[in-house]
């Protein structure tokens, strides 16, 4: 009886300790919780705020000179409790400016004088050039103080030379095809965590922008077609009747429509004008606006219902050079990706009216647009398409600070790729990043996932942004089961759509929404050092003992082969390690004679696989 009472007390003690696990939090982030801009239940705090802007952009692009020239009007409101004595702008094209710091190589001919700021006007007053300081991709402008809740109207005239050979997410793809991103001065994020986002754009870490409204007017020669973030509001003024009808057909039909084919391009009767066209796009509550254009790309399209409750449809496009044969599958792959995201994973209605995959020279996502290079391998094409489209949810729907927390968006795109690719092609087993985790685990480049992306480079940045967090999400999904997992994930969506979550907002939202405190796993997988390392230590009769030699909790997958060649698979989720135990036993159900026992599966890394096979003598 004493032993029983002692065992029960130990069990209650362990459970109490597990329940009391708190995640370590840096003091600067703790201040946000103290000020009630964030809360421990995962919701934005009662004092949460974020600034907002309305952008009206007029941009002219000349393909012969590659000059991007425009004006941008920005109506900016300071919703913060702080008085702003300067406004920080992002000049992302300055990554190509001579002397700018960067972590990616550019060709000499793409080194330019950067963005030329011709004039800055604030509330009808021209600001003196001495009031602004440009440092790489940041421009700080001294202004009359913006008081809390005060708004102001900027008007900026600017120009720059578009890059031709060094395609860092934007630039000339080939003669007659261009993907143009980061093409206007924008106000940097001012938030409750860091104040101004002064992290420079170096080419490796990605972006952090506010949710804003954009009206973009793009003027180009008449033989070019433009695709962009937002809805085209003047289609009737641009396209001839035949193409308007095709677009409408694509937007209301599940079948695939070729809106523009090679014959149409040769006939040069796609647009009404024979000189220039100004294309007008509108997008509300998005973090960025980009556009792409070509005078020889074909356009395939379809649409689907993404929200059965409302009947809302999303148009899905593939826009490409027909010499890239892999792209003839992209329209269907993109369609299936949007469908899978809406109904299978993450089971949330696709939020945008269109998604356009453009044949470019990179692998990069934007609101409603994807810039993807062509690839010959069929599986790779599928994986690239669904990975980049999945970014619609992270970072765009959720407003993540990719610059600091790359794992909060790339990790989700990676698990999206792992799960959706086999839905498109059942032969695909996507092992992206698994080997890299096993090779680097426990080495000096293996840092905790929560390490700021700005402090990482190379292998560290890759494994912490892509496969390691993806594994963490996958393991939690497996442990909770779909019902509780989606309750947690959808709680996160509802809490932080259109806002700026930090890691603790995600962890807290998942805990609260699922009704399960998972801090024991969040801490061990995302915060702590250690390696994943399981081993088979004993096979006694029908019982198999698995030891966790490492400290990283991973699922247990056992394949038992019997003497007659038949097999039995046994699976245990990460829940078996919740209590801090270092071993677990599993039982074989079959009475057949065991020949071999093998440990491991595709998404379970193991630094030492030599002890993962057990031969029964």
């Amino acid at each position: 009886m004493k032993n029983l009472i002692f065992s029960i007390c130990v069990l209650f003690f362990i459970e109490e300790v597990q329940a009391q696990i708190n995640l370590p939090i840096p003091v600067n982030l703790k201040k946000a919780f103290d000020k009630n801009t964030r809360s421990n239940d995962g919701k934005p705090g009662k004092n949460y705020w974020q600034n907002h802007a309305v952008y009206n952009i007029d941009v002219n692009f000349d393909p012969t000179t590659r000059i991007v020239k425009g004006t941008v009007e920005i109506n900016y409101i300071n919703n913060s409790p702080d008085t702003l004595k300067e406004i920080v702008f992002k000049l992302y094209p300055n990554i190509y400016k001579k002397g700018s710091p960067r972590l990616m190589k550019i060709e000499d001919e793409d080194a330019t004088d950067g963005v030329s700021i011709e004039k800055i006007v604030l509330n009808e007053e021209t600001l003196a050039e001495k009031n602004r300081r440009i440092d790489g991709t940041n421009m700080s402008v001294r202004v009359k103080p913006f008081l809390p809740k005060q708004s102001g109207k900027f008007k900026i005239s600017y120009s720059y030379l578009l890059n031709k050979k060094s395609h860092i997410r934007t630039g000339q793809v080939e003669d007659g095809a261009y993907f143009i991103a980061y093409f206007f001065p924008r106000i940097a994020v001012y938030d409750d965590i860091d104040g101004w986002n002064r992290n420079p754009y170096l080419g490796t870490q990605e972006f952090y922008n506010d949710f804003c409204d954009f009206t973009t007017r793009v003027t180009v020669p008449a033989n070019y077609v433009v695709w962009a973030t937002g809805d085209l509001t003047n289609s009737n003024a641009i396209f001839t009747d035949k193409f308007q009808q095709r677009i409408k057909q694509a937007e209301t039909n599940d079948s695939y429509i070729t809106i523009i084919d090679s014959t149409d391009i040769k006939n040069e009767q796609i647009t009404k004008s024979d000189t220039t066209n100004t294309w007008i796009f509108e997008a509300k509550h998005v973090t960025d606006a980009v556009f792409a254009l070509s005078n020889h790309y074909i356009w395939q399209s379809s649409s689907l219902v993404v929200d059965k409750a409302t009947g809302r449809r999303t148009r899905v496009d593939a826009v490409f050079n027909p010499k890239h044969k892999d792209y003839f599958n992209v329209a269907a792959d993109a369609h299936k990706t949007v469908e899978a995201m809406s109904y299978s994973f993450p089971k949330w209605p696709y939020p945008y009216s269109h998604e356009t995959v453009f044949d470019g020279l990179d692998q990069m996502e934007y609101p409603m647009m994807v810039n993807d290079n062509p690839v010959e391998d069929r599986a790779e094409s599928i994986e690239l398409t669904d990975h980049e489209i999945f970014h619609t949810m992270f970072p765009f729907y959720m407003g993540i600070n990719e610059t600091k927390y790359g794992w909060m968006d790339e990790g989700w795109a990676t698990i999206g790729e792992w799960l959706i690719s086999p839905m498109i092609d059942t032969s695909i087993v996507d092992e992206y990043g698994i080997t890299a985790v096993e090779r680097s685990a426990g080495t000096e480049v293996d840092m905790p996932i929560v390490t700021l992306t700005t402090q990482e480079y190379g292998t560290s940045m890759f494994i912490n942004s892509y496969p390691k967090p993806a594994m963490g999400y996958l393991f939690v999904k497996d442990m909770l089961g779909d019902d509780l997992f989606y309750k947690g994930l959808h709680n996160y969506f509802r809490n932080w759509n259109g806002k700026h979550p930090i890691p603790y907002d995600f962890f807290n939202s998942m805990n609260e929404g699922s009704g399960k405190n998972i801090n024991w796993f969040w801490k061990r997988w995302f915060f702590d050092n250690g390696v994943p390392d399981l081993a088979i230590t004993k096979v006694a009769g029908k019982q198999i003992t698995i030891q966790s030699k490492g400290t990283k909790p991973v699922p247990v997958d056992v394949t038992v082969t019997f003497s007659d060649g038949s097999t039995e698979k046994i699976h245990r989720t990460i829940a078996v390690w919740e209590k801090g135990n270092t071993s677990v036993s599993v039982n074989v159900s079959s009475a057949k004679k065991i020949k071999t026992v093998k440990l491991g599966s595709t998404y379970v890394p193991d630094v030492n696989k030599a002890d993962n096979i057990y031969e029964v003598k």
Side-chain angles (χ1 to χ4, degrees), residues 219-224 234-240 267-279:
T219 301
V220 296
N223 59 327
Y224 279 85
N234 66 332
S235 177
N236 291 344
I238 297 285
F239 287 111
T240 58
N267 291 338
E268 295 186 345
Q269 293 179 341
I270 298 172
T271 67
K272 294 179 178 179
S273 172
D274 57 4
T275 53
T276 63
N277 283 311
T278 297
W279 303 66

Side-chain angles (χ1 to χ4, degrees), residues 86 88 90 133 138 140 188-189 194-201:
E86 66 171 343
V88 177
K90 293 294 182 183
R133 178 174 59 86
N138 287 341
S140 300
V189 175
D194 298 316
W196 287 113
N197 170 30
R198 298 181 188 274
N199 287 311
Y201 172 44

Side-chain angles (χ1 to χ4, degrees), residues 16 46 153 165 200 214 219 236 241 257 271 419 553 578:
E16 182 68 16
K46 65 178 183 180
K153 182 177 180 180
K165 291 189 174 181
F214 294 91
T219 301
N236 291 344
D241 291 344
I257 309 298
T271 67
L419 296 180
E578 181 176 356

Side-chain angles (χ1 to χ4, degrees), residues 466-483:
Y466 294 83
K468 278 171 62 179
M471 291 173 186
Y473 305 144
L474 190 65
F475 298 163
V476 167
K477 182 176 184 292
D478 179 43
M479 176 182 66
L480 292 177
D482 280 358
D483 183 53

